Amino acid sequence: MSVKKIKKISMKAAVLLKNKKPLKILNLDLPRYLLDGQVLVKIHYSGICGSQIGEIDGVKGKDKFLPHLLGHEGSGTVLEIGPKVKTVKPNDKVVLHWRPGRGKKSKPPVYTFKGKKINAGWITTFNEYGIISENRLTKVNPKINLVTAPLYGCAITTGFGVIKNNAKLKKNNSIIIFGAGGIGLNMIQASKLSKAKSIIAVDVHDKKLSLAKKCGATHVINSKKEKNFKGKVKDILKNKKLDIFVDNTGIPKVIELGYDLISKNGKLILVGVPKKGKKISIYTLPLHFGKKIIGSEGGLSKPHIDIPNILNVVKNNRINLSQLISKIYSIDNINHAIKDIRTGTINGRALIKL
């Protein structure tokens, strides 16, 4: 394996030391060498996704990688490239994304704090600098808005991918998007572009639902306030069956509700992940006759293809990304940002400026 020596760099990073505890802001040392496929990036902005909240809470079970860094969508500038890197070069502006794209898959880096190992994956973005795997970077136009650019790393590509690749939404279809956070709002925008007839956004926060309307929802429902949810949906659809139900919450009762609401040929798309050990209860017979349950992995997005395509959509003013950015925090205030996300204070996406 080849290596390339780089200058000594220390950085501020938000580290998960224990599940269900606030992140700790530490000054970490970067490795002195880049390995095959590794790229040194100065990170400018990072989004905070529900996946990171899930990691903090340990929803998938025991976290064997603690302590470790977090974050999987960001914008940055390439500073140095390691051996065998071909798709980016120094000074390139890049989107950092969790889904694999073009380029080499490297070994994850190892950062240190006072000589102790701090784990990281192929991409982390809650840190001022990052050694990122080449296949988690996509070069973009140098004039790109670095503030909204992180959204291409997950929120937009996942949201659009779910609608295009998993739901295969068609003109005049009806769809419920349960959970109108950063990804859900992009599902709504994608559904509007697909010319769905009924786009029903559901959430427990009225401010999020108001933003959902701006993004293209034809109807909104506050599931916390609505006493007769099924009746409300039937009224909206005029007693016609629902084509697609997308769950972003991972709440078993919501998943069961979606399964009941969709038509005999409808699709239930699972984006949110239930806590480990939580199960759903359904009557499976309809699955034999056309009803479908589909688990989505990032909307099956291909960043090196989807990011340029969506950039063209934005360039042509067909969607508005700026309205999705609710607030920008410093890395020192990242725990405040996470609290605001949990309480619903944030309508769209919270960003960290690095």
Side-chain angles (χ1 to χ4, degrees):
M1 178 180 289
S2 306
V3 298
K4 179 181 180 180
K5 189 172 183 179
I6 58 174
K7 65 180 181 179
K8 185 176 181 179
I9 298 176
S10 295
M11 67 173 179
K12 189 180 288 186
V15 182
L16 180 63
L17 300 177
K18 292 183 179 180
N19 290 126
K20 301 180 181 179
K21 297 292 183 181
L23 302 182
K24 189 77 172 178
I25 308 301
L26 301 176
N27 286 305
L28 306 184
D29 293 321
L30 276 71
R32 295 300 307 277
Y33 296 91
L34 294 178
L35 307 178
D36 291 350
Q38 290 183 339
V39 180
L40 174 62
V41 178
K42 172 64 184 85
I43 299 172
H44 302 300
Y45 293 89
S46 170
I48 303 178
C49 181
S51 295
Q52 281 87 62
I53 307 296
E55 285 185 80
I56 293 168
D57 292 345
V59 298
K60 295 182 180 179
K62 186 177 180 181
D63 190 337
K64 61 182 180 180
F65 297 107
L66 293 172
H68 65 77
L69 299 182
L70 294 166
H72 70 204
E73 63 174 20
S75 61
T77 300
V78 174
L79 300 181
E80 298 277 358
I81 61 172
K84 300 183 181 179
V85 171
K86 297 179 180 179
T87 64
V88 295
K89 62 183 185 303
N91 297 318
D92 281 348
K93 301 301 179 188
V94 289
V95 168
L96 294 80
H97 44 77
W98 71 277
R99 289 277 297 172
R102 291 178 59 209
K104 187 173 179 61
K105 179 180 176 180
S106 72
K107 287 188 174 182
V110 176
Y111 304 103
T112 55
F113 174 68
K114 296 182 178 181
K116 294 183 179 179
K117 178 180 175 182
I118 305 293
N119 291 310
W122 296 286
I123 169 179
T124 62
T125 58
F126 293 178
N127 31 280
E128 295 177 311
Y129 296 87
I131 292 179
I132 312 298
S133 178
E134 181 187 12
N135 71 342
R136 262 63 175 192
L137 299 171
T138 294
K139 178 182 174 180
V140 291
N141 189 306
K143 295 181 180 180
I144 193 171
N145 183 339
L146 293 173
V147 177
T148 55
L151 300 180
Y152 295 96
C154 175
I156 301 173
T157 44
T158 299
F160 274 60
V162 167
I163 298 304
K164 179 184 176 182
N165 301 322
N166 299 131
K168 294 180 169 45
L169 188 69
K170 297 177 181 178
K171 183 179 179 180
N172 293 325
N173 275 172
S174 57
I175 182 170
I176 286 180
I177 296 165
F178 206 113
I183 293 175
L185 293 170
N186 280 290
M187 292 175 186
I188 292 166
Q189 295 199 110
S191 298
K192 182 180 178 181
L193 288 175
S194 298
K195 298 182 179 179
K197 185 175 182 180
S198 298
I199 305 169
I200 306 170
V202 184
D203 208 283
V204 296
H205 300 287
D206 287 333
K207 288 183 178 179
K208 289 187 177 183
L209 293 173
S210 178
L211 182 53
K213 287 281 284 186
K214 292 180 181 178
C215 288
T218 59
H219 303 82
V220 297
I221 302 174
N222 186 316
S223 58
K224 193 173 183 180
K225 296 179 179 179
E226 180 57 55
K227 302 299 183 182
N228 182 11
F229 188 89
K230 288 185 178 180
K232 180 70 173 179
V233 171
K234 286 182 179 180
D235 287 343
I236 292 171
L237 299 180
K238 297 178 180 178
N239 287 320
K240 292 183 179 179
K241 280 289 187 176
L242 179 69
D243 294 309
I244 296 158
F245 187 107
V246 181
D247 172 59
N248 294 317
T249 71
I251 299 171
K253 287 185 177 179
V254 174
I255 296 171
E256 293 167 2
L257 173 66
Y259 183 77
D260 288 342
L261 282 173
I262 56 175
S263 70
K264 63 180 182 180
N265 294 310
K267 297 173 187 174
L268 170 61
I269 314 296
L270 306 182
V271 178
V273 179
K275 291 182 180 179
K276 188 174 182 180
K278 296 289 184 179
K279 298 179 180 180
I280 64 170
S281 178
I282 61 170
Y283 179 53
T284 61
L285 182 63
L287 295 173
H288 298 269
F289 298 95
K291 189 174 281 198
K292 293 181 177 65
I293 300 177
I294 300 169
S296 177
E297 185 191 2
L300 299 176
S301 67
K302 297 179 180 178
H304 58 290
I305 296 174
D306 296 334
I307 290 174
N309 287 341
I310 299 171
L311 278 166
N312 283 330
V313 173
V314 174
K315 184 178 179 181
N316 293 326
N317 296 316
R318 299 181 68 193
I319 60 173
N320 182 349
L321 297 187
S322 296
Q323 67 182 349
L324 302 181
I325 307 298
S326 296
K327 192 172 180 179
I328 300 175
Y329 302 77
S330 70
I331 190 170
D332 291 311
N333 289 321
I334 192 169
N335 287 308
H336 185 190
I338 291 168
K339 181 181 178 182
D340 285 349
I341 294 170
R342 290 184 186 277
T343 58
T345 304
I346 296 297
N347 302 333
R349 216 32 156 203
L351 292 186
I352 302 301
K353 184 177 181 180
L354 297 140

